[in-house]
Amino acid sequence: MRILHLSDIHFRAPECLDPDHDRDKPYRTRLERHLTGRVATMGPIDAIMVGGDIAFQADPREYEAARTWLLDLAAMCGCDSASIWVVPGNHDVNRKSCEDAPTMNAQAMISLAKSEDDRLWMLRKQLAHNGTGQALFHGHAAYNEFAKKMNCQVYPGHLYWKQERELGPGITLRIHGMTSTLLSGRNGANDDRGSLYLSPLQTIDPSPNVVNLTICHHPPDWLIDGDDVEDMLNERAMFQVFGHKHRQRIHETATYVRWSAGSVNPSHADKQFEPSYNIIELNVAGEGQERRIDVASHLYRYQPQPEGFQPIRKNDGQDVFRHWIPFPAEEAYGVRTGMMVEAVTPKTVKVQSTAPAPYTDAEAAMGDSRTRHLVDRFWDLDGSDRREIALELGLITDEEIDLPEPQRYGVALIRASERNLLDQLEQLINERER
């Protein structure tokens, strides 16, 4: 699997609306030209992961420009447009919305908790109440409108998203889009290091034969619960990508690899103005107890003379960071196989039926190509058509009718997967597209 890793694009209105006056556009053009050259040599990109700060001030116009650019970029590098995934950064939070009293109060109650147990208890209380739960996400409204077509929106009950891909025979790559911005923009101000909160509600399940990859804007040192988050990620997430710091780094260990992205469009006031991007290649090698994940990391950084992107080289002069992590095969014991089993010993597994596997993650399983495009088509329908379909299939309740659309229909689409109603959903979409 070949992944294009971007972060901190910072589309800034009104400049980004006029290509003739957008001083950042030439750097994106240089990135495009370099990337297409790399794709011609390496092969097409399978997924694009954007680690936050898509916009600069969470202006809806900034997201319109960002979506156009990301779709064009996907076409340039041969990536399916439904394989673009995003998480929010601090610039994707509308700080003016964070000055509204309900949002200020909700954030303050969590932030000022005296202990981690109190903080988690307060977060649960806030999310359980419709008013305060919605208030925590007021600042994410424009981001959610942008992210909904990628099924990457966040809301109460859906603090982070999951997608899945087949990485190799018998191995699932599960991508977790983490939200580090619940407390971002508090009182309309800039965030302080160590003031943000991920929470134990954003967790990772170390399932057998599943490789976990996390995308998060803020690295652990920006989080109140940073030590706990770091321990959890290092134990359960083989691959971790971060943004925010505008510092391009790679950290390879025996059990995980962490990439810290630079910025596609850093501030021109930065001490080191170095637009950058990464290409990450993951491949399965070996079998049984010798199975491993091979990792090739290509890190590219802009230089002004001669102008263009150049690879970051290792101390030995190599321009690819090569690494591998052992990942021995595990006996499934009937889990995630799509089958029920009679025996649980490694030597004897007798198939009884082809019933669904007991531990299927419905949301993550929505990552298959057909479902991703179905989600995109659903959002392209008129609002009245979306409402009629959701009600006809019983995917939303009367109480959910007035929720913001990214939440209302995000819930509906996940339920369609959980209840095996995707065929009916597709049929109703077909009827309304005619």
Side-chain angles (χ1 to χ4, degrees):
M1 184 174 188
R2 189 171 295 113
I3 300 165
L4 173 61
H5 174 213
L6 309 170
S7 191
D8 297 76
I9 311 175
H10 298 140
F11 278 91
R12 185 193 300 249
E15 291 89 342
C16 68
L17 309 179
D18 183 357
D20 292 334
H21 294 91
D22 183 1
R23 68 185 299 196
D24 291 327
K25 187 177 185 300
Y27 304 104
R28 295 195 299 273
T29 300
R30 282 293 186 191
L31 187 155
E32 294 163 9
R33 293 178 59 183
H34 187 264
L35 175 61
T36 52
R38 299 309 303 141
V39 166
T41 300
M42 300 166 60
I45 297 295
D46 297 303
I48 299 175
M49 299 184 182
V50 186
D53 279 4
I54 296 102
F56 186 74
Q57 51 196 358
D59 185 323
R61 298 173 299 170
E62 295 169 342
Y63 292 112
E64 291 175 10
R67 179 165 176 79
T68 298
W69 184 69
L70 287 171
L71 290 174
D72 289 345
L73 192 68
M76 291 176 196
C77 60
C79 180
D80 186 342
S81 62
S83 294
I84 303 172
W85 297 309
V86 299
V87 294
N90 49 292
H91 282 280
D92 296 309
V93 177
N94 185 320
R95 297 181 190 178
K96 285 293 183 183
S97 295
C98 296
E99 294 177 5
D100 294 342
T103 302
M104 289 176 62
N105 292 337
Q107 289 184 323
M109 294 292 284
I110 298 166
S111 179
L112 298 176
K114 294 181 179 180
S115 69
E116 173 56 30
D117 287 344
D118 289 345
R119 187 173 298 111
L120 177 58
W121 179 83
M122 182 55 66
L123 175 61
R124 289 183 185 274
K125 292 285 287 185
Q126 302 286 359
L127 293 173
H129 185 274
N130 185 56
T132 56
Q134 296 298 331
L136 280 174
F137 290 91
H138 279 173
H140 294 75
Y143 165 82
N144 275 337
E145 281 295 316
F146 161 75
K148 67 186 183 183
K149 295 194 74 172
M150 295 165 272
N151 230 31
C152 296
Q153 69 271 44
V154 292
Y155 47 83
H158 190 259
L159 299 185
Y160 68 110
W161 53 261
K162 291 172 282 184
Q163 298 273 357
E164 285 184 355
R165 287 290 185 279
E166 181 182 351
L167 186 59
I171 298 184
T172 296
L173 179 69
R174 182 171 294 167
I175 305 108
H176 303 254
M178 317 297 277
T179 303
S180 59
T181 51
L182 286 174
L183 301 183
S184 185
R186 188 178 162 208
N187 301 333
N190 291 331
D191 304 322
D192 294 324
R193 186 189 300 269
S195 67
L196 302 175
Y197 187 42
L198 200 72
S199 90
L201 298 184
Q202 299 189 61
T203 189
I204 298 171
D205 187 8
S207 303
N209 298 309
V210 172
V211 173
N212 289 308
L213 184 155
T214 59
I215 316 171
C216 188
H217 182 66
H218 294 91
D221 59 320
W222 277 77
L223 306 174
I224 299 171
D225 53 339
D227 288 344
D228 292 337
V229 169
E230 180 137 28
D231 288 344
M232 185 265 289
L233 293 180
N234 292 348
E235 290 296 325
R236 301 178 187 173
M238 185 180 292
F239 304 117
Q240 309 163 20
V241 295
F242 294 99
H244 187 63
K245 287 187 173 182
H246 301 187
R247 297 179 64 193
Q248 195 173 21
R249 299 286 188 273
I250 182 171
H251 180 56
E252 299 169 325
T253 78
T255 56
Y256 69 88
V257 180
R258 176 179 295 181
W259 295 268
S260 299
S263 172
V264 171
N265 287 133
S267 168
H268 290 268
D270 283 358
K271 185 176 182 180
Q272 290 182 307
F273 180 77
E274 294 177 332
S276 59
Y277 76 97
N278 301 329
I279 294 176
I280 301 166
E281 293 183 290
L282 307 177
N283 291 289
V284 180
E287 296 180 353
Q289 293 304 298
E290 303 301 318
R291 191 175 67 179
R292 69 179 190 271
I293 310 297
D294 287 339
V295 187
S297 304
H298 309 256
L299 281 58
Y300 301 108
R301 182 180 296 163
Y302 172 84
Q303 66 176 31
Q305 293 181 338
E307 186 180 28
F309 283 80
Q310 298 294 330
I312 297 176
R313 299 184 184 277
K314 300 173 66 176
N315 292 336
D316 60 5
Q318 297 295 314
D319 59 9
V320 181
F321 293 74
R322 298 193 182 277
H323 191 64
W324 63 274
I325 298 177
F327 192 65
E330 296 181 71
E331 294 293 337
Y333 299 97
V335 178
R336 297 188 51 77
T337 63
M339 305 175 185
M340 298 297 291
V341 298
E342 184 175 278
V344 294
T345 60
K347 295 181 180 179
T348 306
V349 180
K350 181 179 178 182
V351 176
Q352 288 184 326
S353 70
T354 56
Y359 298 108
T360 298
D361 187 312
E363 180 190 353
M366 291 174 67
D368 68 275
S369 178
R370 175 222 177 188
T371 306
R372 296 195 318 272
H373 286 285
L374 199 61
V375 169
D376 197 26
R377 290 170 58 200
F378 178 82
W379 283 114
D380 278 338
L381 297 174
D382 290 339
S384 59
D385 287 335
R386 290 196 293 268
R387 179 187 176 104
E388 289 174 4
I389 289 174
L391 289 172
E392 183 172 340
L393 294 178
L395 300 177
I396 54 176
T397 65
D398 292 340
E399 292 76 18
E400 293 166 338
I401 291 293
D402 296 325
L403 292 174
E405 277 209 354
Q407 176 177 353
R408 183 195 319 162
Y409 297 124
V411 169
L413 290 166
I414 292 173
R415 285 178 182 155
S417 177
E418 290 174 339
R419 300 172 185 177
N420 296 316
L421 295 176
L422 292 177
D423 288 339
Q424 293 93 317
L425 176 63
E426 184 171 24
Q427 180 181 348
L428 293 174
I429 291 174
N430 290 340
E431 291 174 359
R432 283 159 175 79
E433 288 178 336
R434 293 192 184 111

